[in-house]
Amino acid sequence: MYFLKITGFIPENKQVEFEQTIRLLKSQMPKSCAGFNTSRDITDKENYQFIAYWDKLPYLQSFTHSSTCSMLLGAFRTLGKLKENTHGKMNELKTR
């Protein structure tokens, strides 16, 4: 399983526009995405996080080059400040 994590600062006066953009982008997520979520920090309501998961690395790589991902990154950069844009392989959790 692979992940993409994007975090950023969105000032209060831009949050409505940012959240509208996120709703639009969620409708454009590819079927190859295993799951995704956007959240806002409870203690600092101007910090947002988008995280998505893919079963295969090529699916993640394809998304990072898509217009949907560019629009997501652009929303963070234009409406606030992009803090983090990371991706990688998740560690497997094994239980007994």
Side-chain angles (χ1 to χ4, degrees):
M1 179 83 46
Y2 296 86
F3 74 92
L4 170 67
K5 179 181 175 187
I6 302 172
T7 63
F9 167 83
I10 306 296
E12 189 175 339
N13 65 331
K14 299 287 185 173
Q15 289 178 359
V16 170
E17 186 177 354
F18 178 77
E19 290 174 9
Q20 288 172 340
T21 303
I22 293 299
R23 278 193 289 281
L24 171 66
L25 293 174
K26 284 184 173 185
S27 71
Q28 297 178 5
M29 288 298 290
K31 293 183 191 238
S32 61
C33 180
F36 59 90
N37 190 27
T38 304
S39 59
R40 191 165 90 179
D41 191 312
I42 292 172
T43 59
D44 185 352
K45 296 187 180 201
E46 293 182 327
N47 284 304
Y48 284 79
Q49 172 180 280
F50 173 87
I51 190 158
Y53 307 97
W54 283 266
D55 292 325
K56 298 180 181 180
L57 182 58
Y59 296 157
L60 167 60
Q61 291 170 331
S62 177
F63 179 74
T64 61
H65 293 94
S66 71
S67 60
T68 303
C69 187
S70 294
M71 197 174 187
L72 175 62
L73 292 169
F76 274 102
R77 289 182 182 125
T78 303
L79 300 172
K81 181 177 180 181
L82 178 67
K83 290 183 175 180
E84 179 183 16
N85 178 10
T86 59
H87 64 276
K89 187 171 185 176
M90 296 177 59
N91 292 330
E92 291 184 33
L93 175 64
K94 296 185 180 188
T95 59
R96 293 182 191 191

